[in-house]
Amino acid sequence: MGEVRKLQKKLRQIENLEIKISLTPEERFKISRKAELRSRLAELQLQLSGPQQTLGIVGDGKKEKMKRQVEDAPEALPSQTPPASKILKGEKESKAQATPAPAARQRKTGVEAEIGRQQERAEPAKVSDHCRNMSGGIPDSEKEQQLRQEEAEFASLRASWEKAKFRLRLLEGHNDIVTCVVAVDNLVVSGSRDTTVKVWHVPTATEHKNLGGHTGGVTCLSAPPLEYCKRLAWSLSLSDKERFILSGSADCYVKIWALTIGQCVKSIYTFNAVTALCFVPEEDGYIITGSDGGKVQAWSWHTFENCQSINAHQEAVTSIQSQGPLVFSSSAEGGVSVWENQCWDRDPLRLLHHWSSQVTGCGGGPDGRLTLSPRGDRVFLAHGRAWLKILHWRTGTTSRLTNHSSITGVTDCVHQTGGLLIGSCYDLANGESTLNLFSMPQCQYLASLTWPDAPRILCFAAWTTGSGDHRWVTGGRNLIVWEQLSSSGKQRGDVTVKRDSRLDCCSLESEESTEDEEETDGTHTHDLDYEDDTDEGKGVEDAGSSSWLRCVLQ
């Protein structure tokens, strides 16, 4: 196992080296050894592939500890998140009031925002006879019928995805790694380490605009809702159909681009390299940015002035997402913070919770990348391991969702669209890239999508067409549009869905049943006793720990 761990660490470091802007001769030599190291790792894994040493799969003795359902409050989908005026503030208010309180009154309560409607928690699959017969409980027959209905619905959903097909179209134009993507109507906007923001027309797969103006690599993008675009367009005497995009860069600037005219209409200097940002559609609107030094800042969409600066994290902020009036930020050291936007002119963000890496279990890696996707009381975390972490942000409890059957798989990004949770996975041992699909909210494995020579996926965006079909765009070494096909018309090269039966038996795991495996799976590079006669580890480790590399791998 010791040699397996060393090889895994070397391959992880080589993958980080490959995305550097420039390489020294020594670094090129190290990269040239990747095929050799992969071959040796595959040989060792074959030797250790006995049932008693199957890597990354929970043994039969622990299957009964897995959580087959997620016991959690129902949540609104990201695209269906209600405005602040409709978000209830606590159970007491939700029970006492027939209609939600105005947004201004909600802010004065100072109580944590309750996302979504208050409904009963999901019932466990097995209930004791005593509980079943309690007054007011659901009769046994109804519960059994409900369970059968849920199982039938999931089976139908899984069957529909097993027949799904996608056609891929390559968008060519960037000359470096694509670090971020966002979808706006029929347009895809991408940001790259080549310092440009490009706008693509999806139906024709052609470059629509090339927005040059940053002097450093573009690290993050965000698209304000249409109503906020109209306000800005009116103030700039532009068409009310104008759409705007926010871009953050290592050059310390946030730029606001008008897509139709292809121009930068506003630049905000942040004094720090911008590594993450999001738009909060509350009141007049806020831009929230994160820096390579761990600072979180709020900017007014009305005046573009700085409203608040907080030294929120110890390391670089790697991801920021909003959900209603809540803002979630994650950092390279593995911490996650939850903020409430109080919609004040000064200091609008109030810290609700902060969970350190000791709680999230996401710290310790030299590259320190951590991306998040919130959903109600849960936050899904991708942090460069073979699984997704699920943080219940109100209580600090965690569980993990298996996203690869081998510990050499690394999860780079997580995304939600409709009733799907999508996690990207890249196998360090063989270079294979996969998208895994899970049904929400139970987090049940549906299917996987991959194809020969698929590139590593570092960022993801999704939307649906008018007919309800999925369209996705993935970025990394290549920028690719995925278009779901009807049941007919398959062509050579189209991607079909596959199933990994090993993910069926170990999807959702309680944290208690996986603590021992997490300590021994070889993916925590900080606790490896790694010696390299050629000093290969040291040079690459330094490269992997740079803040710029962290934001590139968001």
Side-chain angles (χ1 to χ4, degrees):
M1 286 297 294
E3 186 176 357
V4 170
R5 292 184 179 185
K6 290 181 180 180
L7 290 172
Q8 290 169 358
K9 181 174 181 178
K10 287 184 178 182
L11 285 170
R12 189 188 304 274
Q13 293 168 341
I14 286 174
E15 291 292 340
N16 291 336
L17 264 185
E18 285 188 316
I19 64 172
K20 289 184 63 178
I21 294 178
S22 59
L23 296 173
T24 65
E26 181 182 0
E27 290 170 338
R28 294 182 185 277
F29 171 74
K30 293 173 184 176
I31 291 175
S32 70
R33 297 186 58 202
K34 182 168 67 172
E36 173 192 343
L37 296 177
R38 279 182 174 170
S39 177
R40 176 57 181 162
L41 179 58
E43 179 182 345
L44 290 175
Q45 288 182 318
L46 185 62
Q47 296 174 5
L48 297 173
S49 60
Q52 72 279 8
Q53 297 187 30
T54 301
L55 301 179
I57 301 179
V58 181
D60 292 340
K62 293 186 178 180
K63 287 183 181 178
E64 68 275 5
K65 295 184 180 180
M66 298 179 189
K67 296 180 181 178
R68 294 298 180 184
Q69 294 181 347
V70 181
E71 186 181 72
D72 196 9
E75 308 100 350
L77 298 177
S79 60
Q80 299 171 339
T81 303
S85 60
K86 295 184 180 179
I87 294 179
L88 306 185
K89 291 280 188 171
E91 290 187 1
K92 293 183 179 179
E93 289 188 11
S94 66
K95 294 178 181 178
Q97 297 178 0
T99 57
R105 185 179 302 172
Q106 289 181 26
R107 294 196 302 273
K108 294 180 180 179
T109 63
V111 183
E112 297 179 6
E114 186 71 22
I115 304 298
R117 298 174 180 174
Q118 300 295 323
Q119 299 180 359
E120 294 180 357
R121 292 182 179 273
E123 289 289 340
K126 295 183 179 179
V127 185
S128 66
D129 292 339
H130 172 73
C131 293
R132 289 175 177 173
N133 296 325
M134 290 177 63
S135 60
I138 302 176
D140 295 351
S141 59
E142 291 186 18
K143 287 183 178 179
E144 293 175 359
Q145 183 179 1
Q146 181 179 358
L147 288 174
R148 286 196 298 268
Q149 182 179 354
E150 291 176 356
E151 292 174 357
E153 290 176 353
F154 174 73
S156 176
L157 178 63
R158 183 172 62 184
S160 67
W161 272 106
E162 289 176 349
K163 300 176 183 178
K165 295 183 288 291
F166 283 83
R167 182 159 298 160
L168 306 186
R169 290 181 292 173
L170 181 65
L171 303 180
E172 298 182 275
H174 284 297
N175 56 31
D176 210 326
I177 290 172
V178 177
T179 59
C180 46
V181 290
V182 67
V184 180
D185 300 330
N186 283 326
L187 301 175
V188 164
V189 185
S190 58
S192 170
R193 202 171 54 182
D194 64 11
T195 75
T196 66
V197 174
K198 290 184 180 291
V199 185
W200 310 84
H201 187 242
V202 174
T204 59
T206 57
E207 183 178 322
H208 187 59
K209 293 279 194 256
N210 179 32
L211 309 179
H214 283 295
T215 58
V218 179
T219 59
C220 43
L221 296 168
S222 183
L226 181 59
E227 60 179 294
Y228 289 89
C229 291
K230 288 183 177 180
R231 297 181 193 177
L232 180 58
W234 180 82
S235 67
L236 297 173
S237 299
L238 298 175
S239 168
D240 60 0
K241 295 182 180 180
E242 183 66 76
R243 297 302 301 267
F244 297 93
I245 286 291
L246 311 175
S247 64
S249 169
D251 63 8
C252 306
Y253 275 98
V254 170
K255 290 185 178 293
I256 304 174
W257 305 89
L259 297 185
T260 302
I261 62 176
Q263 294 180 5
C264 176
V265 297
K266 184 67 179 180
S267 292
I268 303 173
Y269 187 69
T270 68
F271 297 94
N272 303 276
V274 181
T275 55
L277 66 78
C278 76
F279 187 88
V280 181
E282 297 292 323
E283 295 290 331
D284 290 333
Y286 296 85
I287 303 170
I288 310 298
T289 62
S291 77
D292 63 345
K295 184 177 293 185
V296 171
Q297 295 179 288
W299 309 81
S300 168
W301 180 248
H302 178 62
T303 64
F304 302 108
E305 295 180 353
N306 180 252
C307 303
Q308 190 173 12
S309 294
I310 311 166
N311 293 319
H313 298 280
Q314 298 176 1
E315 299 285 349
V317 180
T318 55
S319 184
I320 296 181
Q321 297 289 333
S322 66
Q323 181 180 239
L326 301 181
V327 176
F328 299 79
S329 62
S330 62
S331 63
E333 82 270 8
V336 173
S337 294
V338 184
W339 313 83
E340 180 187 14
N341 179 18
Q342 303 171 96
C343 299
W344 295 345
D345 293 336
R346 301 299 306 175
D347 299 333
L349 297 181
R350 180 173 71 93
L351 181 65
L352 297 180
H353 293 280
H354 175 77
W355 302 109
S356 66
S357 60
Q358 285 74 20
V359 174
T360 65
C362 296
D367 46 17
R369 59 184 183 273
L370 172 61
T371 59
L372 58 82
S373 179
R375 182 185 176 97
D377 286 350
R378 294 178 294 176
V379 184
F380 295 89
L381 306 174
H383 63 118
R385 298 292 182 261
W387 54 84
L388 291 163
K389 278 293 183 73
I390 303 174
L391 170 67
H392 296 255
W393 61 266
R394 295 185 185 276
T395 62
T397 57
T398 60
S399 55
R400 76 183 195 183
L401 182 64
T402 303
N403 193 44
H404 198 277
S405 55
S406 169
I407 61 174
T408 58
V410 294
T411 303
D412 286 309
C413 59
V414 58
H415 189 87
Q416 296 177 62
T417 176
L420 290 178
L421 176 71
I422 303 176
S424 72
C425 190
Y426 180 77
D427 196 318
L428 295 171
N430 55 31
E432 293 181 356
S433 186
T434 307
L435 286 178
N436 293 320
L437 313 182
F438 302 88
S439 67
M440 295 297 288
Q442 292 84 6
C443 299
Q444 293 176 284
Y445 171 68
L446 288 170
S448 299
L449 287 163
T450 187
W451 72 99
D453 302 320
R456 187 172 183 177
I457 296 171
L458 302 178
C459 51
F460 187 98
W463 70 104
T464 55
T465 64
S467 59
D469 292 330
H470 287 270
R471 273 184 177 171
W472 303 337
V473 58
T474 56
R477 296 194 178 279
N478 292 327
L479 183 63
I480 298 173
V481 171
W482 302 56
E483 185 170 6
Q484 188 177 7
L485 303 176
S486 59
S487 57
S488 60
K490 184 178 184 297
Q491 296 180 3
R492 184 178 180 181
D494 289 345
V495 175
T496 56
V497 170
K498 299 179 180 180
R499 287 186 56 77
D500 188 341
S501 58
R502 295 169 295 183
L503 293 185
D504 281 323
C505 65
C506 58
S507 291
L508 192 63
E509 308 167 17
S510 65
E511 203 69 343
E512 292 80 5
S513 66
T514 57
E515 287 178 352
D516 294 339
E517 296 168 32
E518 191 167 332
E519 293 175 359
T520 60
D521 65 6
T523 58
H524 284 274
T525 54
H526 69 290
D527 60 4
L528 297 183
D529 184 13
Y530 179 38
E531 297 180 1
D532 194 333
D533 295 337
T534 63
D535 286 335
E536 181 170 355
K538 185 178 183 301
V540 185
E541 191 92 3
D542 293 341
S545 61
S546 68
S547 59
W548 166 232
L549 183 60
R550 290 168 183 155
C551 67
V552 162
L553 287 177
Q554 290 188 67

